Amino acid sequence: MTGEQQGVFVHQHIPDFLATMNRFLLLLLVSAPLLGYAQQPAIDTLHWSATRRLQLSDFHAPRQPGLGGSEFYYQLGYDVRPTVIGTSPAIDAYCLMFRNLSWVSETARNERTLAYNQVLFDLVEIHARQMKAKLIALKADRRFKQQAKQIEYLTNAELGAEVNRFRSETGGGDDVDVLRRWQQQVVQRLFDVPDMVTTFQPARVGVGIQVGGSVLVPTGALTKTLDTPVGMLYGLDVALGRTVVLLHLALHDATISKGFTDQNQEWQEGMRVRPVLLDAGLGHTLHDGARTRLIPFVGYRLLSMSPRDRKDNRYQGFSLLSHMPTAGLIWDIKFGSNADHPDRVEDHFWFLRTKLSISPVLAPKYLSGGLLNLQLSLGGFGRPRKVTYKPDRTTIMLPGGAL
């Protein structure tokens, strides 16, 4: 290879090499944060329980070389969820242990260490209950958030002071008699400071809306006057307990099959008209399961009919009004998992509705017969829940024997 040829070879490949290195460095810079994130340990927590006490297997952090005893990491906090009804939010306080940070040395894996850390855990629970009671007593106004944060801060400060006193008086758990006395005290305080369990009471009032299609099937002599109108449905349900008030509006398009005269107005054959149904009914929920709902109803129906083309001068002022009783059945099929969730601030579901009703047309005589109405719609129903708090006192039996 000549010198000139060698120079060409070098100059051609150096840019390619540099470009490859640049792409490699860019890939490292982009992927480094992702790799660092993937290597972070998952947070492993354990919530306090009266029936499930601490075990040595709950301490998941690696044992610290050269250190004895144990280390217990905890957190105290609260959650606030706004409610639909009333002004009081749903408040929950919690205390938990970070198992991935807590550890026990090899020489301290015994019942005394468990008792010592269980007292710590119980102290956190007691202060969580006290904090929740103070939060419940707050007024739900614009100062709530600021006051709640202050209560949380003071509670954590009080808890930290008591934890330090406990560790000092027990010598880190070495003084068995003092530790046993603290055990008895915290068990008594868990009974004296009840857990204010957040519960939700369903409101009597519920609201549902739906939209869909409607088909009118004339019966009797009315079949000679109208074809089968189809149109849109808009509905509103208001539930009071198991009683349901129904307000449904259906807008149809139809054609007059046989002409007639009403109040000196000639409704001609082939005339396009708009029959409007306004239903007001009262139903009762016979069945309300996780997947289906059945509501028979009775009510009254208003039938209004007007020309489709109102700009036509021939039909100025044309209007026909009739009223009639109605009765029928509603069958709702609920979507998805509609199992009752007692910890939810509202009870709601989506549904596919089939509504079938029949009405005898009472007047005028040339519209004698009946109307069979089939409606298919999609809708949703919701019933808010009011938050209440039920005190629950905790009874814990201490194990016998020496620590």
Side-chain angles (χ1 to χ4, degrees):
M1 180 182 294
T2 65
E4 183 180 359
Q5 290 174 330
Q6 185 177 5
V8 173
F9 176 84
V10 172
H11 286 293
Q12 285 179 341
H13 285 74
I14 285 179
D16 295 340
F17 174 75
L18 292 177
T20 304
M21 288 300 298
N22 287 336
R23 286 194 293 268
F24 180 70
L25 290 174
L26 179 62
L27 179 62
L28 287 179
L29 289 174
V30 171
S31 60
L34 299 177
L35 292 173
Y37 177 81
Q39 292 174 356
Q40 292 179 358
I43 299 177
D44 182 12
T45 60
L46 175 68
H47 284 264
W48 185 92
S49 172
T51 57
R52 202 279 191 190
R53 312 302 278 166
L54 283 179
Q55 304 170 9
L56 290 174
S57 58
D58 292 327
F59 295 80
H60 293 173
R63 301 178 183 91
Q64 304 299 313
L67 295 179
S70 64
E71 193 66 49
F72 181 86
Y73 286 85
Y74 61 83
Q75 184 180 19
L76 171 69
Y78 68 92
D79 291 320
V80 178
R81 287 179 290 166
T83 52
V84 180
I85 190 170
T87 57
S88 299
I91 298 172
D92 278 309
Y94 61 87
C95 80
L96 50 86
M97 167 194 183
F98 288 100
R99 292 194 287 191
N100 59 315
L101 300 178
S102 303
W103 54 269
V104 176
S105 67
E106 195 64 41
T107 58
R109 302 181 67 81
N110 51 51
E111 292 299 321
R112 186 180 59 175
T113 299
L114 277 180
Y116 173 78
N117 287 281
Q118 185 65 63
V119 171
L120 286 174
F121 210 179
D122 293 341
L123 286 174
V124 181
E125 171 66 15
I126 291 170
H127 284 267
R129 295 181 182 185
Q130 292 173 337
M131 180 178 66
K132 182 174 181 177
K134 294 175 183 177
L135 294 173
I136 293 172
L138 290 179
K139 292 183 179 180
D141 54 22
R142 59 185 181 85
R143 299 181 57 201
F144 177 87
K145 186 176 181 180
Q146 178 184 357
Q147 293 175 332
K149 286 295 183 184
Q150 185 177 10
I151 289 175
E152 181 187 25
Y153 175 80
L154 293 176
T155 302
N156 274 289
E158 294 169 358
L159 172 60
E162 187 166 20
V163 166
N164 290 335
R165 183 163 61 89
F166 164 68
R167 286 172 171 166
S168 175
E169 291 183 5
T170 61
D174 291 337
D175 193 327
V176 177
D177 293 334
V178 178
L179 177 58
R180 185 178 290 111
R181 186 166 65 248
W182 272 89
Q183 269 189 316
Q184 296 169 352
Q185 290 175 356
V186 295
V187 166
Q188 183 63 43
R189 287 170 64 185
L190 285 170
F191 180 82
D192 295 337
V193 181
D195 180 16
M196 303 300 292
V197 180
T198 306
T199 58
F200 298 94
Q201 298 293 333
R204 285 183 53 80
V205 178
V207 177
I209 57 174
Q210 61 272 173
V211 61
S214 175
V215 179
L216 273 177
V217 181
T219 63
L222 194 59
T223 57
K224 300 179 181 180
T225 306
L226 286 175
D227 60 0
T228 303
V230 295
M232 291 294 298
L233 163 74
Y234 306 93
L236 172 68
D237 302 342
V238 179
L240 303 172
R242 299 184 74 87
T243 301
V244 185
V245 178
L246 307 169
L247 297 173
H248 296 167
L249 176 67
L251 310 176
H252 303 87
D253 289 328
T255 304
I256 295 179
S257 303
K258 181 180 179 182
F260 61 88
T261 302
D262 176 65
Q263 298 180 357
N264 298 323
Q265 295 173 341
E266 186 178 354
W267 299 73
Q268 300 175 355
E269 180 181 343
M271 179 180 176
R272 296 185 63 193
V273 294
R274 170 170 286 179
V276 177
L277 290 184
L278 177 61
D279 291 354
L282 199 64
H284 181 75
T285 306
L286 285 183
H287 167 73
D288 192 3
R291 295 293 183 182
T292 56
R293 185 170 63 161
L294 182 65
I295 307 174
F297 68 92
V298 295
Y300 219 71
R301 169 171 288 168
L302 185 67
L303 170 63
S304 172
M305 193 161 66
S306 60
R308 179 74 174 171
D309 186 3
R310 296 192 177 188
K311 295 182 179 180
D312 194 324
N313 293 329
R314 295 176 299 171
Y315 305 136
Q316 291 294 326
F318 272 51
S319 180
L320 188 148
L321 193 65
S322 180
H323 54 86
M324 61 207 80
T326 184
L329 190 67
I330 290 175
W331 179 253
D332 291 337
I333 299 177
K334 301 178 181 180
F335 290 142
S337 176
N338 289 288
D340 185 30
H341 297 281
D343 59 341
R344 210 163 57 183
V345 297
E346 74 280 335
D347 179 21
H348 63 267
F349 56 85
W350 299 98
F351 58 82
L352 172 65
R353 168 168 293 182
T354 302
K355 177 188 175 187
L356 183 64
S357 61
I358 189 168
S359 304
V361 179
L362 304 179
K365 291 184 179 180
Y366 44 79
L367 293 181
S368 63
L371 288 174
L372 186 66
N373 185 211
L374 175 64
Q375 298 174 354
L376 295 175
S377 59
L378 291 172
F381 179 84
R383 193 187 298 269
R385 288 172 170 170
K386 187 175 182 180
V387 61
T388 59
Y389 299 97
K390 180 181 178 181
D392 181 25
R393 297 189 180 274
T394 304
T395 302
I396 297 176
M397 300 299 297
L398 290 175
L403 294 176

